[in-house]
Amino acid sequence: MLKDNRICRFDREGAEPHSAGQAGEYWNPMPPGGAPYPHRMRQEIYEQPDTILQTLGEWIDDLDSLIGAIGDAGTGTRLRRIHIVGCGTSYHAGLIGRYIIEKFVHIPVSVDMASEFRQMEPVLTRGTLLIAISQSGETVDTLTAQRQAKAQGTPVVAICNAVGSSSSREADAVLYTRAGEELGVTSTKTFTAQIAAICLLGIALGAHRRKICDVELETLKSFLAGLPSLTRRVLGKDHEIGEIAQTLTGAHGILYLGEGISYPVALEGALKMKEIAYIHAVGCPAGEIKYGPLALVEPGSPVVALAPISSMSGKILSTVADVKARGAHVIALTDAPAALRDIADVVVTLPPTHPAFLPFVSAIPLQLLAYHVAVLKGHNVDRPRNLIKSITGE
Ligand code: M6R
């Protein structure tokens, strides 16, 4: 009866329970009638304060129930390590998940692209939980990885947006992202919803295992509750980012720098730029650039640097200075503009937040940047060339 229990427990309070027959259905948080957005992608970027709220909404004051449901999946207190798999944007959410879960739960986390996980002989020891992240719940690589883990007796929690999808049906437990239907091929709102779901899971597990004290828990919950208004403030940077985009339409390559939890965000920003603006883009940890990618930098090379104050003790400032010394055109996104003003060419000031929640602040400007560059180049941002929304076949 675990399955039935699972389906009910993970559904939104008051919502109709979903059955396996409802594959592909979504819970739509938007009011009927639609909004006057020129593109679905733009609308979906703008929906993020709501979709984050909806994803957090049902659990933020009920973290014990979340743990109860994971406990049903056979992990609970016996949990010793977590392995995360996903593809593309969902993989990047998984990389962010590693920082969040290790920080709050203090257990080792590994993250693999599901397509690579399939090629390995992964050692999934007792006490391992596999988290499969997928917007559609139908991506063949993620599903295959999930099935491989199940076949080894490893419990699986799916983080999924499509209710009743294969991934959600086959998992031992499902944590739904409540992002609503994402029609644009490019993932935007589902990315931040996935991160919101991982934050919930990490904080819930951390509190349950007493790695987070009551005071810290209340602080984290109030940061979580503030995410919708925080992301709304970030969307207020849209016009400024649109102007920066005008300087990038002729770029042949863009380097995205980040460190710590901002590194996967740099990867995601680069992916967005590749898939809709068709500009070669590379995400690189700031501390890694001297080991090769620095050779790419020449006068005029665009570099996007994610430089939140919480990582200022790290490499990002010296790396920005290094690329600047080689003539790079540096666009810095930071909550500490004074530290960057003299070394970056353009500084976008972002609101401060808790270090664990930085991806919510930095991912949205990078989505907007790619969007504006692509629109300026005349691309169909909702239907990028060569790509489809869901890779369900080999
Ligand atoms: O449905 P999934 O999250 O499993 O999809 C995985 C990737 O196909 C997807 O994240 C893709 O990388 C994005 N749509 C790119 O924006």
Side-chain angles (χ1 to χ4, degrees):
M1 294 305 94
L2 175 65
K3 282 242 159 206
D4 292 339
N5 188 30
R6 171 208 62 154
I7 287 169
C8 293
R9 291 182 84 153
F10 274 91
D11 269 325
R12 198 175 161 69
E13 204 178 307
E16 290 294 307
H18 299 277
S19 71
Q22 291 173 297
E25 281 191 15
Y26 298 82
W27 184 78
N28 187 353
M30 295 303 289
Y37 292 100
H39 305 100
R40 280 305 299 212
M41 181 182 174
R42 187 170 176 79
Q43 177 172 343
E44 286 164 1
I45 289 173
Y46 268 79
E47 285 173 6
Q48 288 177 102
D50 294 313
T51 51
I52 291 168
L53 176 69
Q54 299 302 344
T55 299
L56 296 174
E58 59 195 300
W59 297 116
I60 197 165
D61 292 319
D62 197 12
L63 294 175
D64 286 344
S65 300
L66 186 58
I67 289 303
I70 300 299
D72 286 349
T75 54
T77 51
R78 294 191 298 279
L79 181 63
R80 287 199 199 97
R81 70 179 300 135
I82 288 179
H83 208 113
I84 304 178
V85 292
C87 297
T89 295
S90 298
Y91 165 67
H92 295 156
L95 291 174
I96 290 167
R98 176 182 173 184
Y99 289 90
I100 290 169
I101 294 170
E102 289 190 340
K103 181 179 182 67
F104 293 135
V105 192
H106 301 194
I107 57 169
V109 179
S110 359
V111 191
D112 278 309
M113 294 170 188
S115 55
E116 279 301 298
F117 181 93
R118 294 178 59 184
Q119 311 304 324
M120 303 171 193
E121 292 178 21
V123 181
L124 300 170
T125 47
R126 257 171 87 91
T128 298
L129 168 70
L130 187 102
I131 299 180
I133 306 180
S134 174
Q135 179 282 131
S136 61
E138 302 295 347
T139 298
V140 63
D141 287 310
T142 310
L143 266 178
T144 306
Q146 167 176 347
R147 286 170 184 158
Q148 272 177 233
K150 283 289 287 180
Q152 290 190 39
T154 301
V156 174
V157 170
I159 292 182
C160 191
N161 200 47
V163 174
S165 58
S166 302
S167 177
S168 64
R169 288 200 313 275
E170 294 180 25
D172 297 285
V174 191
L175 180 48
Y176 281 116
T177 49
R178 300 297 188 180
E181 188 172 13
E182 191 175 61
L183 288 180
V185 166
T186 300
S187 302
T188 52
K189 62 177 179 172
T190 53
F191 179 60
T192 46
Q194 287 167 344
I195 304 168
I198 292 166
C199 286
L200 280 172
L201 190 57
I203 293 169
L205 283 170
H208 180 70
R209 295 162 72 93
R210 309 223 178 287
K211 304 295 179 192
I212 298 175
C213 70
D214 290 349
V215 175
E216 191 185 1
L217 180 61
E218 287 315 307
T219 305
L220 290 168
K221 279 162 79 172
S222 76
F223 270 105
L224 281 178
L227 287 175
S229 61
L230 183 77
T231 46
R232 218 166 275 127
R233 280 175 70 192
V234 176
L235 287 167
K237 293 282 160 184
D238 190 2
H239 181 71
E240 191 178 337
I241 290 164
E243 288 184 342
I244 295 168
Q246 292 174 23
T247 67
L248 294 175
T249 52
H252 296 294
I254 304 177
L255 185 58
Y256 286 74
L257 297 175
E259 62 180 342
I261 201 167
S262 297
Y263 163 55
V265 182
L267 291 177
E268 176 62 8
L271 177 63
K272 298 296 88 154
M273 192 59 83
K274 280 183 276 209
E275 65 179 327
I276 54 170
Y278 313 150
I279 294 175
H280 184 65
V282 176
C284 182
E288 193 66 18
I289 188 166
K290 284 184 180 149
Y291 303 116
L294 191 55
L296 291 170
V297 177
E298 54 187 7
S301 298
V303 173
V304 176
L306 302 179
I309 184 97
S310 54
S311 68
M312 290 289 181
S313 57
K315 295 265 186 200
I316 195 77
L317 283 183
S318 61
T319 307
V320 168
D322 279 348
V323 296
K324 193 64 206 145
R326 284 152 183 90
H329 178 78
V330 178
I331 299 156
L333 278 64
T334 183
D335 51 359
L340 272 300
R341 207 153 270 146
D342 292 337
I343 49 174
D345 296 277
V346 181
V347 177
V348 179
T349 305
L350 297 174
T353 186
H354 187 285
F357 304 140
L358 285 168
F360 294 99
V361 173
S362 49
I364 291 173
L366 299 189
Q367 295 168 352
L368 286 168
L369 188 64
Y371 169 82
H372 284 298
V373 174
V375 170
L376 286 166
K377 291 179 79 172
H379 298 169
N380 181 345
V381 292
D382 291 334
R383 294 285 172 269
R385 71 185 179 202
N386 306 340
L387 300 178
I388 54 173
K389 183 70 180 159
S390 225
I391 315 288
T392 55
E394 298 290 355

